[in-house]
């Protein structure tokens, strides 16, 4: 299996010109890019996936996310992660940026210090087939947005994903409300 390579960045998102290898510790002050995509159906339901039990935070729920690979932009990484983890294919124009935020190692998912690029996308489930990625996700559910915001508070949801969402809840609300009005 090939090593997964990430590009190295400083805290401000400037490329540092060297590669990082998934699973290897990141040097002090070095970051990599991570994307998260809140996928919402055209009738207002949020797509959640359950993490594979063998992964960190196994058996807990989250929305789509993952590391940006070397050579990808955050948008390309978001499109790839969404397609790989859920089977949902959207275009770059369908991604609505929510925020970019830096999270230190202690607050992340064990992948080192990360710069998160968060997006919302909307899709028609009648035109897409949800397919789970073997070894990554084992189940999915669709919840109305308001129900999702309640479910997110339960212990069955990945804590760090919850915290990032709650920190920017108003931005998510604004994008989702604007889409449906």
């Amino acid at each position: 299996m090939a090593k997964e390579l990430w590009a190295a960045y400083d805290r401000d998102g400037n490329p540092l010109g060297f590669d990082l290898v998934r699973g290897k510790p990141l040097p002090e002050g070095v970051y990599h890019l991570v994307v998260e995509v809140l996928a919402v159906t055209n009738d207002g339901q949020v797509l959640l996936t359950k993490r594979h039990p063998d992964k960190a935070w196994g058996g807990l729920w989250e929305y789509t996310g993952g590391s940006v690979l070397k050579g990808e932009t955050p948008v390309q990484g978001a499109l790839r992660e969404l397609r790989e983890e859920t089977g949902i294919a959207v275009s770059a124009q369908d991604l609505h940026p929510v925020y970019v935020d830096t999270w230190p190692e202690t607050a992340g998912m064990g992948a080192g210090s990360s710069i998160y690029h968060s997006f919302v996308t909307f899709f028609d489930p009648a035109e897409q087939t949800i397919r789970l990625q073997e070894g990554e996700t084992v189940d999915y559910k669709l919840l109305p947005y308001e129900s999702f915001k309640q479910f997110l508070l339960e212990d069955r949801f990945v804590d760090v994903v919850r915290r990032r969402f709650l920190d920017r809840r108003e931005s998510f609300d604004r994008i989702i409300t604007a889409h449906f009005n």
Side-chain angles (χ1 to χ4, degrees):
M1 181 184 230
K3 294 178 186 171
E4 184 175 309
L5 295 180
W6 304 330
Y9 294 86
D10 68 14
R11 181 178 178 78
D12 297 321
N14 300 307
L16 294 175
F18 61 91
D19 297 342
L20 303 169
V21 177
R22 181 186 189 108
K24 303 272 184 183
L26 272 61
E28 184 76 25
V30 174
Y31 293 76
H32 80 293
L33 303 182
V34 176
V35 293
E36 291 181 323
V37 183
L38 187 72
V40 182
T41 64
N42 57 2
D43 65 348
Q45 296 190 79
V46 175
L47 174 61
L48 300 178
T49 55
K50 190 175 197 178
R51 293 178 64 83
H52 190 282
D54 294 340
K55 293 185 63 71
W57 292 275
L60 297 179
W61 293 90
E62 65 182 349
Y63 46 90
T64 300
S67 294
V68 175
L69 301 177
K70 177 184 175 182
E72 286 183 327
T73 65
V75 167
Q76 291 167 331
L79 295 172
R80 177 186 50 76
E81 286 289 345
L82 185 64
R83 188 179 57 255
E84 285 177 356
E85 290 187 5
T86 69
I88 303 299
V90 298
S91 69
Q93 298 87 330
D94 295 325
L95 292 177
H96 304 273
V98 182
Y99 66 85
V100 176
D101 201 4
T102 303
W103 280 63
E105 159 81 65
T106 56
M109 304 251 317
S113 298
S114 305
I115 300 172
Y116 281 84
H117 290 255
S118 181
F119 302 92
V120 171
T121 193
F122 299 92
F123 72 98
D124 183 347
E127 296 176 4
Q128 303 267 358
T129 301
I130 298 171
R131 289 185 318 276
L132 300 175
Q133 184 180 13
E134 190 172 328
E136 290 283 332
T137 53
V138 295
D139 198 3
Y140 77 91
K141 65 170 74 184
L142 294 166
L143 291 175
Y145 185 59
E146 293 303 319
S147 298
F148 154 72
K149 290 194 293 186
Q150 291 302 309
F151 182 77
L152 175 88
L153 301 175
E154 296 181 17
D155 288 342
R156 297 183 294 159
F157 206 88
V158 175
D159 180 59
V160 293
V161 177
R162 171 191 312 119
R163 286 189 281 150
R164 283 192 294 275
F165 178 88
L166 292 174
D167 283 352
R168 302 299 174 100
R169 179 180 22 212
E170 293 80 17
S171 297
F172 284 98
D173 288 349
R174 206 170 19 259
I175 292 167
I176 290 169
T177 299
H179 180 80
F180 290 106
N181 290 332

